Amino acid sequence: MTTAQPPMSRALELARLAAAAGEVPVGAVIVDPATGEIIGEGANAPVMAHDPTAHAEIIALRSAAVGLGNYRLTGLHLYVTLEPCAMCAGAISFARIGKVIFAASDPKGGAILHGPRFFEQKTCHWRPQVEEDDANAVEAGDLLRAFFRERREDPARGILAKE
């Protein structure tokens, strides 16, 4: 699947689709940096899928692996709207992603620059390059803040009201 739009723009579009479906607005896109081709993509779906592992990054990794017929995604780039959590960082490492580019940092749940700093651990077998996308951080952060603000103001809007 190819696209003319920049990868982070597509990830933000997927995040907006997740929010419209009542999911936390996170989107992820896996790209072949040599061709610019989107190899896999995903939007957060743990609520709809009844699957706690259905994070945007995991869905994108699965999509890319199936599309390529290989669980090793060596050299590919992952664009994601939010700093990955520990589970996603582990999957990124196992997939051998070459570079992770994320927009909004996540001091509470992130695991790359915050929390466990997964890729810095001795037990991490593969360490991708990491890059913050400052140009899209505000938009990604605004999507997340608006989503959670709506849920706090109107608890009937979703299951997150009690969390």
Side-chain angles (χ1 to χ4, degrees):
M1 78 183 76
T2 56
T3 182
Q5 74 187 128
M8 190 61 79
S9 293
R10 176 62 182 153
L12 286 162
E13 184 178 298
L14 291 164
R16 287 189 286 276
L17 291 172
E23 300 281 356
V24 175
V26 180
V29 175
I30 296 177
V31 175
D32 180 339
T35 65
E37 180 181 5
I38 292 178
I39 306 299
E41 61 182 32
N44 253 14
V47 177
M48 287 187 330
H50 309 290
D51 179 357
T53 69
H55 289 197
E57 301 95 322
I58 301 294
I59 293 169
L61 290 166
R62 288 176 180 158
S63 172
V66 167
L68 293 174
N70 191 343
Y71 76 105
R72 296 280 196 225
L73 305 175
T74 307
L76 300 180
H77 291 183
L78 169 67
Y79 291 80
V80 61
T81 58
L82 181 65
E83 178 182 353
C85 69
M87 174 185 69
C88 293
I92 290 164
S93 178
F94 284 127
R96 305 285 198 263
I97 288 289
K99 187 175 192 178
V100 176
I101 302 97
F102 68 88
S105 65
D106 186 359
K108 186 176 177 183
I112 294 178
L113 297 182
H114 298 91
R117 297 179 181 250
F118 189 89
F119 301 136
E120 295 176 21
Q121 300 306 312
K122 285 190 255 183
T123 54
C124 180
H125 298 293
W126 177 261
R127 294 167 180 83
Q129 294 178 359
V130 175
E131 181 180 308
E132 291 180 83
D133 181 352
D134 296 330
N136 290 293
V138 171
E139 183 176 355
D142 286 349
L143 276 171
L144 289 155
R145 281 186 290 279
F147 177 84
F148 287 111
R149 182 174 40 255
E150 286 175 10
R151 265 113 195 114
R152 282 191 302 276
E153 292 170 359
D154 183 6
R157 289 199 58 150
I159 64 165
L160 296 172
K162 299 278 183 191
E163 294 181 2

